[in-house]
């Protein structure tokens, strides 16, 4: 791109600064509020924290039950991501490596469900969960999450596995590897970067998931973080300081993950979008 | 469909072992629920398993339901406006980063950050920004002497939907930017350099070189955005619950209300809405795919 003139460059700088403030301003504001008490916020909504009230995080964690919501979220997300990664990787590997009638049809069917609106399944999933006594349980939510993330996982991993050269597998076969061993000793290690990408992507998507959780979980003790925050707004809307603290508790893990794995997250998202 | 020469044959037993868990989950938690929802749409379902077959009645009610049509209109409007803005702004931002402006690394991270935040948190932040007394929007208007323009943005039926769409755009622009940037980086360097030698202006280069060359990505993003917005739920539910006066009702929130929030306890009617909407999305996707196939791919 050519360097625009001085005037153009100035205008561009101003526009981009504005955009940056617009993009991250709300989050920085939220972070500041999370360290200020509600009284302080009510006096000046846009003030800087004078004293850093770190105790608010402990208060949110203990008194407002965010500790429970946090660990529920951790358990649900870790369990479903682990399961969907394993199940999805096996299916993707099989669809990428083996030739059999119906191969393409299965692949197409699984990843065409990426486009499904959740409403088409959610009403009957609700019925199924009630019938099998999984309604209002974290196990039920985990099962549903495995189902929702399976298409994306298979989609991303299949394209990666199909690029592993066949020679590697042929060599392993000569060495007497069984099919399952080939998956474990060649597919998984070589596919590791793609697997890590799907793990992180699924983690973020499920960590933020709201619709299935709000339908399938009603018991306070089983709420995940997004539900916990929403309930807190409903209960005590005036306590904005505490709402901000709770919101920060849910943001921090994702932001940390992003700082460590930003390249992988971007790879996963762009691979899902353009192919 | 491409067929890979490299793939090898394997015994059915092995294939079954690899595929069984995924197929079980897929059939149990996707296929079966879809079929059951479609079946439900012909029933009236009251609590404790009292079901009655009502034929096409739910559909007849649906077509005469003004709230459904309003929510459908809102959703379609959202699904068209938001992706266009997302992609246009995302492309401009991506071009800035591609041109390697100073601090581009920082900008890339900052602009992408909203994508990572959950809708619940996004909704909270923005309902504060829209607050009448101390929200940034009204304070900003007052600072520019536009006191008369101040509004309860989420409480005014004329502005609530637009206010929600702004928030949605805020969240997703960064995603479109990153995808556009990846597409631009995938272009061969020479094309841009050739345009540079020909002394193309910024706009000309944007219009004649960048946009056509990543055209398929842009269309892909528009389609992806469209599909995503046709499902929009979280933001609306947390910020306005479809109100005031149905002015932000979307199909998803309406289904949710009818199924789980109102005390009608009928799962049949919302199933009919879900089924109709499923058909609409499917038809749109099929049409978009057919259109995409017909367009000649630009070679480079």
């Amino acid at each position: 791109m050519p360097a625009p003139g001085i005037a153009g460059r100035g205008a561009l700088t101003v526009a981009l600064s504005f955009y940056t403030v617009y993009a991250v301003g709300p989050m920085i504001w939220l972070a500041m509020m999370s360290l200020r008490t509600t009284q302080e916020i009510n006096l000046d909504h846009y003030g800087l924290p004078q004293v850093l009230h770190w105790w608010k995080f402990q208060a949110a964690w203990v008194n407002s039950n965010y500790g429970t919501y946090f660990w529920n979220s951790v358990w649900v997300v870790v369990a479903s991501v682990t399961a969907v990664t394993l199940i999805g990787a096996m299916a993707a590997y099989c669809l990428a490596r083996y030739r059999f009638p119906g191969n393409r049809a299965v692949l197409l069917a699984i990843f065409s469900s990426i486009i499904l609106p959740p409403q088409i399944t959610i009403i009957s999933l609700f019925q199924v969960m009630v019938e099998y006594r999984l309604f209002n349980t974290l196990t039920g939510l985990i099962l549903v999450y495995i189902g929702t993330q399976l298409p994306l996982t298979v989609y991303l991993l299949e394209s990666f596995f199909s690029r592993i050269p066949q020679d590697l597998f042929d060599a392993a076969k000569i060495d007497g590897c069984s099919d399952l061993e080939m998956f474990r000793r060649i597919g998984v290690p070589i596919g590791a970067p793609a697997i890590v990408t799907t793990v992180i992507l699924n983690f973020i998507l499920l960590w933020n998931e709201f619709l299935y959780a709000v339908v399938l979980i009603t018991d306070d003790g089983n709420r995940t973080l997004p539900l916990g925050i929403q309930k807190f707004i409903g209960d005590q809307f005036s306590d904005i300081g505490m709402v901000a603290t709770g919101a920060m508790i849910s943001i921090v893990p994702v932001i940390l993950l992003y700082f460590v794995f930003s390249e992988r997250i971007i790879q996963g998202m762009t691979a899902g979008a353009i192919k | 469909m491409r067929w890979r020469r490299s793939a090898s044959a394997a015994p059915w037993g092995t294939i079954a072992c690899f595929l069984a868990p995924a197929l079980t989950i897929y059939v149990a938690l996707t296929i079966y629920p879809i079929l059951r929802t479609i079946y439900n749409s012909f029933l009236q379902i009251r609590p404790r398993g009292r079901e009655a077959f009502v034929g096409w009645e739910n559909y007849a009610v649906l077509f005469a339901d003004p709230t459904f049509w309003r929510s459908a209109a809102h959703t379609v409007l959202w699904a068209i406006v938001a992706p266009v803005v997302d992609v246009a702004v995302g492309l401009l931002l991506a071009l800035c980063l591609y041109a390697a402006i100073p601090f581009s690394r920082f900008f890339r991270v900052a602009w992408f950050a909203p994508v990572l935040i959950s809708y619940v948190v996004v909704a909270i932040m923005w309902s504060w920004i829209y607050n009448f007394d101390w929200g940034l929007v009204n304070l900003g208007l007052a600072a520019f002497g536009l006191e008369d323009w101040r509004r309860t943005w989420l409480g005014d039926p004329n502005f609530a939907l637009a206010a929600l769409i702004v928030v949605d755009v805020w969240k997703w622009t960064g995603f479109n930017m990153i995808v556009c940037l990846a597409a631009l980086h995938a272009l061969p360097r020479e094309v841009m350099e050739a345009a540079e030698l020909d002394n193309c202006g910024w706009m000309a280069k944007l219009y004649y070189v960048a946009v056509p060359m990543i055209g398929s990505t842009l269309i892909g993003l528009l389609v992806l955005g469209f599909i995503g917005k046709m499902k929009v739920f979280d933001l609306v539910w947390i910020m306005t619950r479809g109100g005031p006066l149905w002015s932000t009702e979307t199909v998803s929130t309406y289904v949710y209300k009818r199924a789980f929030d109102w005390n009608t306890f009928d799962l049949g009617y919302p199933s009919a809405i879900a089924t109709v909407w499923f058909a609409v999305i499917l038809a749109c996707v099929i049409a978009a795919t057919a259109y995409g196939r017909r367009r000649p791919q630009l070679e480079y």
Side-chain angles (χ1 to χ4, degrees):
Chain A
M1 292 284 152
I6 297 292
R9 196 176 294 181
L12 191 66
T13 311
V14 171
L16 295 186
S17 313
F18 264 112
Y19 190 84
T20 308
V21 171
Y22 160 78
V24 291
M27 285 174 265
I28 293 170
W29 184 43
L30 184 81
M32 291 196 307
M33 290 216 266
S34 73
L35 289 170
R36 305 171 71 212
T37 64
T38 302
Q39 288 95 319
E40 286 170 354
I41 295 170
N42 283 335
L43 286 175
D44 176 7
H45 288 90
Y46 300 94
L48 292 171
Q50 302 299 325
V51 186
L52 301 179
H53 295 288
W54 291 107
W55 59 265
K56 285 184 64 203
F57 280 87
Q58 210 207 335
W61 193 267
V62 180
N63 306 339
S64 309
N65 224 1
Y66 277 109
T68 310
Y69 307 144
F70 183 88
W71 290 118
N72 284 344
S73 268
V74 168
W75 161 236
V76 168
V77 173
V78 168
S80 39
V81 170
T82 309
V84 81
T85 306
L86 183 67
I87 293 170
M90 285 168 68
Y93 174 86
C94 176
L95 292 167
R97 300 311 315 170
Y98 300 126
R99 193 185 322 176
F100 58 93
N103 176 316
R104 298 283 99 184
V106 171
L107 188 61
L108 194 69
I110 290 183
F111 69 60
S112 66
S113 49
I114 293 175
I115 65 153
L116 294 182
Q119 300 90 316
I120 191 70
T121 55
I122 203 160
I123 296 172
S124 34
L125 278 175
F126 168 79
Q127 290 174 300
V128 171
M129 293 294 141
V130 171
E131 282 161 18
Y132 289 89
R133 296 178 186 281
L134 289 167
F135 178 68
N136 221 343
T137 64
L138 296 179
T139 315
L141 193 61
I142 291 167
L143 283 174
V144 170
Y145 280 176
I146 297 171
T148 59
Q149 296 310 111
L150 187 67
L152 183 70
T153 310
V154 172
Y155 176 69
L156 293 175
L157 291 180
E158 194 272 344
S159 67
F160 192 90
F161 282 135
S162 67
R163 276 181 277 146
I164 302 176
Q166 179 66 18
D167 302 349
L168 275 174
F169 296 93
D170 292 340
K173 194 149 214 165
I174 293 166
D175 289 348
C177 262
S178 75
D179 287 296
L180 202 65
E181 266 179 320
M182 275 196 264
F183 170 68
R184 201 168 54 81
R185 295 169 64 168
I186 301 175
V188 173
I190 295 180
I195 293 173
V196 172
T197 304
T198 59
V199 166
I200 297 162
L201 205 59
N202 284 333
F203 187 96
I204 292 175
L205 293 174
L206 291 180
W207 186 260
N208 292 337
E209 206 285 328
F210 182 74
L211 175 59
Y212 288 102
V214 83
V215 170
L216 299 176
I217 301 290
T218 53
D219 190 20
D220 190 49
N222 287 334
R223 285 198 166 97
T224 55
L225 264 177
L227 295 187
I229 300 170
Q230 195 229 4
K231 177 212 148 213
F232 195 83
I233 319 174
D235 288 357
Q236 295 159 292
F237 194 74
S238 54
D239 194 356
I240 49 179
M242 225 23 137
V243 173
T245 309
M248 276 315 282
I249 291 178
S250 93
I251 291 183
V252 169
V254 175
I255 295 291
L256 286 180
L257 214 58
Y258 182 59
F259 272 111
V260 181
F261 294 107
S262 64
E263 290 305 317
R264 297 225 164 279
I265 292 171
I266 285 169
Q267 270 170 25
M269 291 213 167
T270 48
I274 45 169
K275 208 178 90 163
Chain B
M1 282 291 143
R2 68 221 144 95
W3 186 261
R4 295 187 199 84
R5 218 156 35 87
S6 62
S8 59
W12 278 106
T14 312
I15 292 167
C17 282
F18 276 114
L19 276 183
L23 284 183
T24 310
I25 292 276
Y26 179 66
V27 170
L29 296 170
T30 304
I31 298 295
Y32 170 71
I34 292 175
L35 297 177
R36 182 156 172 185
T37 300
I38 295 173
Y39 172 71
N40 280 345
S41 71
F42 296 102
L43 305 177
Q44 189 185 58
I45 305 171
R46 301 284 185 204
R48 281 177 288 283
R50 284 184 289 131
E51 299 181 351
F53 187 78
V54 294
W56 292 94
E57 195 188 300
N58 286 328
Y59 290 92
V61 175
L62 171 70
F63 280 99
D65 181 350
T67 311
F68 166 73
W69 289 108
R70 276 195 78 175
S71 64
H74 293 152
T75 312
V76 170
L77 180 75
W78 191 320
I80 291 170
V81 172
V84 170
V85 181
D86 281 349
V87 171
V89 179
L91 178 62
L92 288 176
L93 296 175
L95 285 167
C96 291
L97 295 179
Y98 185 75
I101 49 164
F103 308 110
S104 11
R105 232 189 107 72
F106 164 76
F107 282 131
R108 202 187 60 183
V109 173
W111 297 342
F112 184 72
V115 177
L116 301 167
I117 311 293
S118 77
Y119 270 120
V120 181
V121 174
V122 170
I124 293 171
M125 292 190 301
W126 280 86
S127 51
W128 289 342
I129 291 172
Y130 286 136
N131 183 288
F132 184 80
D133 295 315
W134 46 267
L136 200 60
V137 178
N138 281 348
L139 289 184
L141 288 172
F144 284 100
L146 299 168
E147 273 90 353
D148 297 346
W149 291 21
R150 290 186 303 162
R151 298 221 148 45
T152 50
W153 295 97
L154 296 173
D156 185 330
N158 296 317
F159 290 92
L161 185 66
L164 290 185
I165 294 178
V166 168
V167 181
D168 193 46
V169 167
W170 175 82
K171 179 165 161 64
W172 287 108
T173 302
F175 172 79
N176 289 278
M177 169 196 82
I178 285 292
V179 176
C180 287
L181 185 62
L184 286 170
H185 279 306
L187 290 181
R189 203 83 216 169
E190 302 85 56
V191 181
M192 286 304 205
E193 277 162 11
E196 212 129 291
L197 287 179
D198 292 346
N199 228 349
C200 255
W202 248 92
M203 283 311 286
K205 210 186 288 182
L206 178 65
Y207 189 76
Y208 292 110
V209 184
V211 172
M213 294 215 65
I214 62 167
S216 60
T217 302
L218 298 179
I219 290 176
L221 281 176
L222 287 173
V223 172
L224 198 73
F226 181 84
I227 299 166
K229 309 310 169 196
M230 293 290 269
K231 311 175 194 173
V232 64
F233 172 81
D234 307 23
L235 197 62
V236 186
W237 188 249
I238 302 157
M239 288 184 87
T240 63
R241 303 218 161 200
L245 299 170
W246 312 101
S247 65
T248 59
E249 199 72 70
T250 62
V251 175
S252 302
T253 54
Y254 192 48
V255 169
Y256 181 87
K257 271 185 191 171
R258 294 297 297 247
F260 306 112
D261 200 48
W262 286 10
N263 293 331
T264 57
F265 294 115
D266 171 30
L267 294 180
Y269 185 65
S271 298
I273 307 177
T275 306
V276 166
W277 209 241
F278 170 60
V280 169
I281 295 183
L282 211 58
C284 292
V285 172
I286 291 170
T289 319
Y291 177 75
R293 285 245 174 81
R294 219 155 36 96
R295 274 170 53 94
Q297 288 287 314
L298 198 69
E299 297 283 343
Y300 54 83

